[in-house]
Amino acid sequence: MKNKKLLSDIKEYLKYYENQVLEDWYELIRHISVSETGEGIETCCDWIQKKMEEIGIQVTKYSVKPAPVLVGRFGNDPEKKTVLIYAHYDVKPAGERKLWHSDPFVPTVRDGKVYARGSADNKSPLMAHLKALEYFVRKKMEVPVNVIFVFEGDEECGSRGLEEFLAEHRTELAADLVFFSDGPKDPSGLPIIALGAKGDLSVHITVETMNRNVHARYAPVLPSAAWQLVEILGKCKSKDKILIPGFEEGILPFTEKEIEIMDKLPKSEESLNTIYEAKSSNYGKDFYPRLLGQPTFNICWIKTGANGVVPAKAEALIDCRLVPDQDPEKGFQCIKRHVEMMGYDNVKIENDGYIPSSKTDVNTPYLPAVEEICRDIYGEYVIYPCRPSSAPDYLWTNVLKLPAIQVRWSDADSDNHAPNEHLSIKEYMDGIALTVCALQAVSEINEKD
């Protein structure tokens, strides 16, 4: 960055306005916005719109179903670059309240961390992005780029309706770069610069062997749906190997530069074990190539039976994280065909929806600028050529055809989607500084260099 004083200035600014910067974040968290049920979605969206307008952003609320989309604009100078900033305002349900140490929708500060649903995912980045723009406005500084905000309220349910909306408004949303933050740091505690995301295919498998459960005394002679389901799953994956023919075809291999980047990543295995008290030693030297470059066939849950019965019905939800160039529909058909060829005539396999994978070229001219920012703010960082979790990143790379860079800065153990989700106040403040510096850095890039 040309302006080396910018980071120092934003930090002084955040100290001065700390109470309001924190209170706006807390107030956003207090607005319940659960996309799975629709609870509070409209009210939360309206509150964000008002907050954006107070900053001076021109905002349009679009009636996308099932949750409205906010598009905000600040600046329209053809001589400047344009950055599209994305975030989502919806959250997962709280889940079992008894597992929370405090009310999940009342932000509670303990040891410098804010505990609440959405504190990390994704209300902290959303508010951090707005506070970054507010910094320029309050300081009466010229915003170095044109900014387009796209905030949605259905990310946790698959961003329904957003793809069609973006395709329809592609021309109005033209930009040079998409920038967003959604997710935790690397297990080592370092922030992640991600240049893509795995896709997500959900498959629901149901086995029915009888018209109702029967007493367990009939186990020697009557068919158990539970055991049949276990047999099916065991034929789909064994240890770390997916056994489904054709499922892994078409995977885009890592480039030499991406392999070089992964070779420099920190040893995170023990940190991962420590965070989750796991006892896994199933890593090896290919930890990151496996984490970032291999698809998954994960059993999320199995439901079946009751005490003392032979189960008549068994269900499983399979979560497949797909890597770049894997076709979700083809992947589903491979699973379906593989199970059908096992000879069962009592199995139903349903596609519960998918998100395509995404990828931004590691040679994008915007990457060195984002690296410099992360170096200035965090000291060290890591680069993921493709993040191991899913996000609607494909909307930017595949639909709008734009490069997209994510910086993941939530605490490594922030427990997104789980009880006691939390975020450190320091990470929130650093996230604001990151966005401020990103806007400045992008403005200085000459793509011809």
Side-chain angles (χ1 to χ4, degrees):
M1 282 182 291
K2 293 178 182 177
N3 188 359
K4 295 295 184 181
K5 295 181 180 179
L6 182 61
L7 184 56
S8 174
D9 188 70
I10 180 64
K11 289 187 175 182
E12 287 182 14
Y13 167 90
L14 291 173
K15 286 181 182 178
Y16 185 81
Y17 287 103
E18 180 176 3
N19 289 340
Q20 193 222 315
V21 167
L22 290 175
E23 184 51 41
D24 282 344
W25 176 32
Y26 298 161
E27 186 60 26
L28 177 55
I29 292 170
R30 292 186 193 105
H31 279 80
I32 300 173
S33 51
V34 181
S35 51
E36 190 173 304
T37 63
E39 182 183 6
I41 288 291
E42 287 283 347
T43 302
C44 182
C45 180
D46 290 342
W47 184 86
I48 295 169
Q49 179 176 359
K50 182 179 178 182
K51 183 59 61 177
M52 294 171 74
E53 290 170 344
E54 288 174 358
I55 295 171
I57 302 167
Q58 294 181 324
V59 188
T60 303
K61 178 181 177 182
Y62 291 91
S63 298
V64 177
K65 299 298 182 183
V69 171
L70 294 175
V71 175
R73 299 176 184 277
F74 195 98
N76 189 29
D77 186 343
E79 298 300 314
K80 294 180 178 180
K81 292 186 182 295
T82 298
V83 177
L84 190 156
I85 294 179
Y86 162 78
H88 66 91
Y89 60 87
D90 65 313
V91 300
K92 283 286 191 183
E96 290 189 60
R97 297 293 181 106
K98 65 182 181 181
L99 298 179
W100 286 82
H101 301 315
S102 54
D103 189 320
F105 294 106
V106 175
T108 303
V109 180
R110 296 195 296 273
D111 300 322
K113 299 179 180 181
V114 178
Y115 287 80
R117 175 60 81 229
S119 58
D121 185 15
N122 186 243
K123 290 181 175 178
S124 48
L126 188 154
M127 187 53 66
H129 298 321
L130 292 181
K131 288 299 173 185
L133 184 63
E134 188 178 61
Y135 160 78
F136 287 105
V137 173
R138 272 199 167 148
K139 297 279 289 187
K140 296 185 175 3
M141 297 167 62
E142 180 182 0
V143 181
V145 295
N146 305 312
V147 183
I148 301 174
F149 295 96
V150 176
F151 295 157
E152 66 150 319
D154 195 62
E155 193 271 351
E156 300 293 5
C157 287
S159 299
R160 294 168 292 182
L162 189 55
E163 180 174 352
E164 294 79 8
F165 171 81
L166 294 176
E168 182 180 348
H169 295 270
R170 182 182 288 114
T171 302
E172 305 138 71
L173 297 174
D176 294 283
L177 174 71
V178 176
F179 180 80
F180 66 100
S181 300
D182 187 2
K185 295 179 177 180
D186 183 78
S188 65
L190 299 179
I192 300 167
I193 302 173
L195 295 163
K198 285 187 178 182
D200 187 6
L201 168 65
S202 293
V203 180
H204 190 179
I205 301 177
T206 305
V207 178
E208 292 190 76
T209 55
M210 300 177 287
N211 61 9
R212 60 185 181 274
N213 293 340
V214 299
H215 193 281
R217 68 179 180 274
Y218 288 113
V221 294
L222 289 179
S224 165
W227 271 113
Q228 287 193 12
L229 178 60
V230 169
E231 291 166 0
I232 290 169
L233 296 176
K235 292 175 182 177
C236 289
K237 182 182 176 185
S238 177
K239 295 184 178 179
D240 292 323
K241 186 172 180 57
I242 297 174
L243 306 175
I244 302 163
F247 183 77
E248 297 180 275
E249 288 181 2
I251 292 176
L252 188 67
F254 286 119
T255 65
E256 288 186 14
K257 186 169 183 178
E258 290 169 337
I259 293 172
E260 181 182 333
I261 286 171
M262 288 188 292
D263 284 344
K264 296 177 181 177
L265 291 173
K267 302 296 183 183
S268 296
E269 296 91 329
E270 288 308 314
S271 297
L272 200 62
N273 278 348
T274 299
I275 290 172
Y276 297 109
E277 297 184 5
K279 296 180 172 60
S280 177
S281 58
N282 189 25
Y283 296 125
K285 66 178 182 179
D286 58 346
F287 174 77
Y288 279 106
R290 287 172 56 195
L291 178 66
L292 309 182
Q294 288 187 4
T296 69
F297 187 89
N298 176 54
I299 302 171
C300 290
W301 53 253
I302 295 175
K303 298 177 181 177
T304 186
N307 188 30
V309 303
V310 178
K313 183 177 181 180
E315 301 174 78
L317 182 67
I318 307 302
D319 174 78
C320 302
R321 301 292 164 141
L322 308 178
V323 295
D325 281 15
Q326 265 190 296
D327 184 318
E329 183 58 41
K330 181 182 176 182
F332 172 72
Q333 292 300 330
C334 287
I335 296 170
K336 191 170 185 291
R337 183 167 53 250
H338 181 59
V339 174
E340 288 173 346
M341 290 184 67
M342 294 178 192
Y344 297 99
D345 59 1
N346 57 337
V347 180
K348 183 164 68 173
I349 304 172
E350 299 171 286
N351 184 337
D352 271 12
Y354 62 82
I355 299 173
S357 59
S358 63
K359 191 174 182 66
T360 290
D361 192 333
V362 72
N363 294 305
T364 175
Y366 298 102
L367 178 58
V370 175
E371 285 188 82
E372 181 183 352
I373 296 162
C374 289
R375 194 176 300 115
D376 290 342
I377 295 175
Y378 301 103
E380 295 182 84
Y381 59 90
V382 297
I383 299 174
Y384 281 8
C386 179
R387 61 183 261 187
S389 56
S390 301
D393 189 53
Y394 78 97
L395 296 171
W396 324 118
T397 60
N398 301 6
V399 178
L400 295 187
K401 308 296 183 183
L402 299 174
I405 294 181
Q406 319 156 46
V407 181
R408 298 160 60 89
W409 45 256
S410 297
D411 301 77
D413 64 348
S414 56
D415 289 332
N416 296 5
H417 300 183
N420 303 303
E421 177 183 348
H422 61 273
L423 183 83
S424 299
I425 291 174
K426 181 183 183 303
E427 300 300 350
Y428 170 61
M429 294 297 191
D430 284 347
I432 298 172
L434 175 79
T435 302
V436 169
C437 294
L439 298 181
Q440 180 64 41
V442 169
S443 74
E444 299 169 0
I445 292 172
N446 183 348
E447 297 181 54
K448 295 180 181 179
D449 289 347

